[in-house]
Amino acid sequence: MAIKVGDKLPEATFMEMTVDGPKPVTTAEVFGGKTVALFAVPGAYTPTCSARHLPGYVDKAGDFKTKGVDDIVCTSVNDVFVMGAWGKSSHADEKVRMLADGNGAFAQALGLELDASGFGMGKRSQRYSMLVKDGVVAELNVEAGGEFKVSSADYLLGQL
């Protein structure tokens, strides 16, 4: 069963690239006591994700802060090195935290896993956005297959 508005995020550990190398961070550390705009993509460097999804959040980071969002987080079922490189190449530094869900445990725990085996990508995350307040889902927008509308930065900003 997929997570829904009003649910607490499941406990999970992500990996985040830091200046000192990969570091594990928990959902409690990322979402506790904060308002966080979270969005997930099926894969780093994939066409829609690289051309439209991540850049939208990077470009609108100031607008999110103005509306009371403490952090913007991007997650994908990729390893921490790929997520770190993608964030750097997309100029996400200081604007969007890039968290690796390397084994897809977070996507699976949310019930938002996607089987992209037909594209040679294995198990991934669905494309979605959510607003999380102190670890609780306040807004959830899950994309239909092949679409890019409700998970965009503009759409989530409109929900604030």
Side-chain angles (χ1 to χ4, degrees), residues 85-101:
W86 188 37
K88 188 171 290 224
S89 70
S90 300
H91 310 288
D93 304 328
E94 306 298 317
K95 294 179 181 178
V96 177
R97 288 181 78 176
M98 306 297 287
L99 301 184
D101 181 21

Side-chain angles (χ1 to χ4, degrees), residues 40-44 46 49 53 75-78 114 121 124-127:
V41 298
T46 56
C49 303
H53 211 166
T75 187
S76 182
V77 181
N78 287 104
L114 168 72
M121 295 171 64
R124 295 294 175 138
S125 175
Q126 290 184 46
R127 184 177 286 129

